[in-house]
Amino acid sequence: MKAHVVHQQDHEKIIAYFEAAGLDYTEWSATFNMHFGYYRPGANPFHLEDMLNAMSDEVYERLALDDISEPLVLDLGCGLGTVSRHMAGRHADAQFVGATVTPWQVEEGNKLTEAAGLEDRVLLMEADYLDLPCRLESADAAFAIESACYARGKDKWDFIDALHGTLKPGGRFAVADCFRRNTRPLPRLIDRVYRRCCDCWALQEMAEINLFTRSLERAGFVDIRVDDISWNVAPSVAHVPWTALKFIVKVMLRGELKTLHRERRNNVIAPVLGMLLGMCRPHFSYCIVRGRKPEEGAL
Ligand SMILES: C[S@@+](CC[C@H](N)C(=O)[O-])C[C@H]1O[C@@H](n2cnc3c(N)ncnc32)[C@H](O)[C@@H]1O
């Protein structure tokens, strides 16, 4: 696999954020789903956890792994591994390896996996997805839910190049994330909200969808498809104000509001700003992007 520049400062910021705010995620999801949800018509939009798990199902379905027995699936930027455990519970023959740069997530996530009795099929490791161990270089599939955004650049080239390097020929991928819809400068106010939101979430910038798909083509991926699922995600985003309010009231009752750690405050501010950006439809979309590496010898 090619070596990519690892930005240590980015890691320090990401780790500080996810370690400080880690436990607060239980306000959003008792099982540590650290992403937005997917609303399927007929589902109950008040059941946030069901929508969060539905996002994992939507991502897994797009990997189209039915024809592969015992697939090795990589969870790039795995958080506490909740997505992998959910998928492993539904797909009994698949093996999952999750990578995160946040040591606390590995430690706690592997404990949760053991408690769920899934330790023979789900393993979380402390690793940068730009620099995965060689033994993971022939995965059948890889996915990244709200984690590819942490790579640098609007085209996320390093992430895509590393993804290509880690999949075997014929391997599939799915990336679920918030994307900018174009490279045009944002209106001033929206730009301020955008920059503050990225900063609070400890990321440099979101990917721009056309640059992202161009990087995928340049890396050699085929059958690239972009599903704009912004409207399916919206019902889960609508849970943000209530979740933030619950959290703030609890913190106030514990008398911790004034001394709340910067990262923990950011963890409340970021989703609220994210919700506002989500309303700026000409500028932002939530998409699942999928594709495949060609079989060896294929044109
Ligand atoms: C918003 S969380 C999403 C977690 C998980 N995918 C989920 O949906 O529950 C982002 C994750 O990306 C991880 N991450 C960020 N940059 C990374 C990198 N370069 N390599 C591996 N993991 C990374 C963070 O540590 C964190 O676990």
Side-chain angles (χ1 to χ4, degrees):
M1 198 189 289
K2 291 168 213 153
H4 296 98
V5 179
V6 167
H7 297 279
Q8 204 51 44
Q9 277 171 319
D10 294 1
H11 283 193
E12 282 163 17
K13 198 171 169 192
I14 292 166
I15 294 167
Y17 170 66
F18 283 108
E19 299 228 335
L23 281 177
D24 295 342
Y25 268 89
T26 51
E27 208 60 63
W28 178 250
S29 159
T31 64
F32 287 103
N33 273 305
M34 299 166 72
H35 53 257
F36 288 113
Y38 187 99
Y39 174 78
R40 288 170 163 164
N44 185 340
F46 291 100
H47 283 183
L48 177 59
E49 194 70 19
D50 288 353
M51 292 191 283
L52 302 179
N53 288 330
M55 177 63 85
S56 305
D57 293 332
E58 290 290 328
V59 166
Y60 194 90
E61 277 167 26
R62 282 167 174 77
L63 296 175
L65 291 170
D66 289 347
D67 57 331
I68 300 178
S69 75
E70 300 185 10
L72 170 62
V73 183
L74 304 184
D75 180 350
L76 305 175
C78 62
L80 277 85
T82 307
V83 173
S84 284
R85 281 189 296 279
H86 175 79
M87 290 176 174
R90 298 209 161 196
H91 304 279
D93 65 334
Q95 298 278 337
F96 296 84
V97 176
T100 172
V101 286
T102 311
W104 176 82
Q105 294 180 334
V106 175
E107 209 175 297
E108 294 304 311
N110 279 332
K111 281 188 210 159
L112 292 172
T113 300
E114 233 174 88
L118 288 167
E119 66 275 18
D120 52 339
R121 291 199 298 118
V122 179
L123 173 73
L124 309 189
M125 56 163 61
E126 187 186 328
D128 185 337
Y129 51 43
L130 300 183
D131 190 24
L132 290 174
C134 302
R135 65 188 171 87
L136 298 177
E137 274 182 32
S138 55
D140 297 288
F143 66 88
I145 303 185
E146 294 179 25
S147 52
C149 52
Y150 284 93
R152 285 224 172 175
K154 287 189 184 63
D155 59 359
K156 306 295 174 198
W157 169 251
D158 279 357
F159 171 81
I160 287 169
D161 192 37
L163 172 69
H164 191 266
T166 206
L167 289 175
K168 62 165 62 157
R172 301 104 205 250
F173 76 86
V175 172
D177 227 319
C178 186
F179 289 88
R180 287 197 48 188
R181 292 179 72 156
N182 54 63
T183 48
R184 286 197 301 275
L186 293 168
R188 189 180 298 193
L189 180 63
I190 298 177
D191 190 55
R192 283 185 64 180
V193 174
Y194 167 67
R195 284 179 198 284
R196 179 89 169 97
C197 179
C198 289
D199 187 50
C200 286
W201 258 323
L203 52 95
Q204 301 288 325
E205 60 186 327
M206 294 176 188
E208 193 276 308
I209 192 65
N210 295 316
L211 296 181
F212 190 78
T213 52
R214 244 178 270 155
S215 290
L216 289 167
E217 285 164 2
R218 180 178 151 214
F221 285 110
V222 294
D223 296 341
I224 299 161
R225 201 171 138 182
V226 178
D227 297 325
D228 186 330
I229 57 163
S230 304
W231 290 111
N232 302 87
V233 170
S236 69
V237 179
H239 285 254
V240 165
W242 171 238
T243 307
L245 187 67
K246 267 191 312 178
F247 177 77
I248 291 167
V249 169
K250 281 186 189 171
V251 168
M252 274 169 70
L253 291 176
R254 288 199 294 261
E256 290 172 3
L257 193 60
K258 283 197 181 132
T259 55
L260 198 65
H261 203 278
R262 179 175 178 271
E263 273 77 16
R264 296 182 69 199
R265 260 198 333 261
N266 286 349
N267 193 35
V268 183
I269 297 168
V272 174
L273 298 180
M275 181 183 71
L276 296 177
L277 294 178
M279 292 172 189
C280 303
R281 292 287 292 128
H283 304 290
F284 298 94
S285 291
Y286 196 109
C287 303
I288 303 182
V289 185
R290 66 178 126 155
R292 145 182 101 71
K293 189 167 167 174
E295 296 291 346
E296 238 150 19
L299 283 177

